[in-house]
Amino acid sequence: MMTHAAYDCDVLVIGGGIVGLSTAYALTRTAPGTRVTVLEKEWGPARHQTGRNSGVIHSGIYYAPGSLKARYAVRGAAELVDFCVEHGIDHAVTGKLIVATGRAELPRLHALVQRGRAHGLPVRELGPAQITEYEPRVRGLAAIRVGTTGVCDFTAVAVRFASEVTASGGQIRYGAEVVAVDRRPWGVAVRTADGRVVRARVLVNCAGLHSDRVALLAGDEPGARIVPFRGEYYELARPELVRGLVYPVPDPAFPFLGVHLTRGVDGSVHVGPNAVPALAREGYDRTVVRPGELAATLAWPGSWRIARRHWRYGAGEMHRSLSKSAFTRAVRRLLPEVTEADLRPAPAGVRAQAVLRDGTLVDDFLIRDAPHTVHVLNAPSPAATASLPIGREVARRALLRARATGWTPPAVESGHCV
């Protein structure tokens, strides 16, 4: 058994996105004195999913009752707003409209009303005239307004988590890409690309787009693979056309919410995303191709099965990706005044979507434990919204794993309650 001094830290977190930093933040608050280190391969926090989304604080209305997404999004949205208020982070609780533009969408809209009320959310049903009270330029047959939806600066939230971690004695190392994980009876040893080794009691994998690869490095079969989907956005040249957040009625057969309009905290309006397969895990442009990553995606049987199952939906997304006029037509279903000239290209994001071997898209957050490890294997949207409760849950599991090595949290040693 290794001595306490032989460990470089108690809990080692891989990934400096909002989930990894929230986990580190929760560890320092739940068990003060726990030695926490975060390794992030980029030279700063929130460089991928966290910093490249539309900034929406989701209400939780879309997610199945009882699911982690539903529970954590509803709870996380309220906690996130409180966190932003406490730390002076830009945010706004604007509410949002979910608009049905065709009769076939009305039953799905009604189902969302029932689901929202089951979650305890403030949901108001609207007719065409009432829609224009909130969004004068938006048109639809019916809509619902969800009052708890908002927007915030998720990068600023992640940066604040990081500063709180370091203020509590934790370490965050940027430019530290993990290339090897060696699991031993006493814990784990991780080697970074610069040759440095970090020894810890417990490893927490919050690597996002690379979470399955880190699990495999640790010797754990995740049972799913990350298939990257690029989300392509435009910015509205006439932001005055939209007051807040406007969404279509989503198709429950696919995990993406469809092209929507989001007024951010800076007053700009983003339109999108369009969702298409990316040719690299960090393929933010269609010209970015990494042959090794693409080969790994194509070698996973689930990739082919999802393509066969959802080819019609995928074909529509690809068409809108390649044709600005087709994308514009999709937007005009909600906002008829929009023209192609109103849409200016904006930075894209990539969603880390876990896919099972049989082609099933993992719909819920997926967290798995193994000896000396906790893996966050699926945490796409609304993970940023739910980051505080996700972080607490992952921290709870990590602390249980650490105790299994014979470790006692310093706060317990000193008589404090954990």
Side-chain angles (χ1 to χ4, degrees), residues 254 306-317:
F254 214 67
I306 186 178
R308 286 195 295 268
R309 191 173 301 163
H310 297 293
W311 70 269
R312 290 183 185 276
Y313 188 99
E317 294 290 300

Side-chain angles (χ1 to χ4, degrees), residues 39-359:
L39 301 181
E40 166 55 47
K41 72 182 182 66
E42 305 295 349
W43 290 99
R47 296 294 174 87
H48 294 290
Q49 291 184 105
T50 302
R52 289 176 169 267
N53 60 48
S54 54
V56 175
I57 303 173
H58 288 282
S59 66
I61 192 170
Y62 299 117
Y63 315 118
S67 66
L68 290 179
K69 279 188 176 181
R71 288 162 34 211
Y72 288 177
V74 173
R75 186 185 316 156
E79 292 183 10
L80 186 62
V81 170
D82 289 343
F83 187 87
C84 289
V85 170
E86 179 182 356
H87 296 287
I89 295 171
D90 284 346
H91 72 288
V93 180
T94 59
K96 78 172 175 185
L97 299 187
I98 304 174
V99 182
T101 57
R103 291 197 171 278
E105 297 173 339
L106 294 176
R108 300 205 304 266
L109 187 68
H110 181 69
L112 284 177
V113 172
Q114 302 307 313
R115 179 170 286 185
R117 288 174 178 164
H119 293 331
L121 300 173
V123 179
R124 182 187 176 196
E125 297 181 78
L126 308 176
Q130 294 166 309
I131 291 172
T132 59
E133 292 176 11
Y134 291 100
E135 293 286 353
R137 268 59 174 258
V138 171
R139 297 292 179 267
L141 298 179
I144 57 177
R145 183 175 187 274
V146 188
T148 51
T149 305
V151 289
C152 77
D153 183 342
F154 282 122
T155 297
V157 173
V159 168
R160 188 68 199 195
F161 285 156
S163 66
E164 293 288 318
V165 169
T166 55
S168 298
Q171 291 189 333
I172 301 176
R173 284 179 50 197
Y174 297 113
E177 181 177 2
V178 172
V179 296
V181 178
D182 186 10
R183 183 159 45 198
R184 300 290 182 88
W186 47 261
V188 293
V190 167
R191 180 162 53 87
T192 56
D194 61 4
R196 296 178 65 179
V197 174
V198 183
R199 294 169 292 272
R201 299 177 187 275
V202 177
L203 168 68
V204 175
N205 168 15
C206 296
L209 286 159
H210 303 279
S211 58
D212 56 340
R213 296 168 63 187
V214 171
L216 290 167
L217 283 177
D220 296 323
E221 170 52 60
R225 294 293 185 273
I226 295 298
V227 175
F229 286 88
R230 185 172 60 255
E232 298 169 334
Y233 290 90
Y234 286 92
E235 185 175 337
L236 199 58
R238 292 189 289 160
E240 66 274 9
L241 294 180
V242 178
R243 290 179 174 176
L245 310 180
V246 183
Y247 280 64
V249 179
D251 182 347
F254 214 67
F256 307 112
L257 297 177
V259 173
H260 48 272
L261 302 119
T262 306
R263 175 175 284 275
V265 291
D266 62 356
S268 65
V269 175
H270 277 75
V271 186
N274 199 52
V276 296
L279 304 181
R281 301 242 178 172
E282 297 165 17
Y284 298 112
D285 186 276
R286 62 170 62 98
T287 63
V288 177
V289 181
R290 293 184 179 169
E293 294 179 359
L294 178 58
T297 295
L298 295 177
W300 181 241
S303 299
W304 295 99
R305 289 167 179 155
I306 186 178
R308 286 195 295 268
R309 191 173 301 163
H310 297 293
W311 70 269
R312 290 183 185 276
Y313 188 99
E317 294 290 300
M318 287 296 297
H319 182 48
R320 286 187 288 274
S321 173
L322 298 171
S323 169
K324 187 177 182 181
S325 62
F327 189 98
T328 305
R329 286 195 297 273
V331 180
R332 292 186 67 186
R333 294 186 62 192
L334 293 169
L335 193 64
E337 291 184 38
V338 165
T339 67
E340 285 189 46
D342 289 325
L343 301 178
R344 301 184 297 215
V350 176
R351 176 190 179 109
Q353 176 62 53
V355 178
L356 302 181
R357 180 175 288 274
D358 67 0

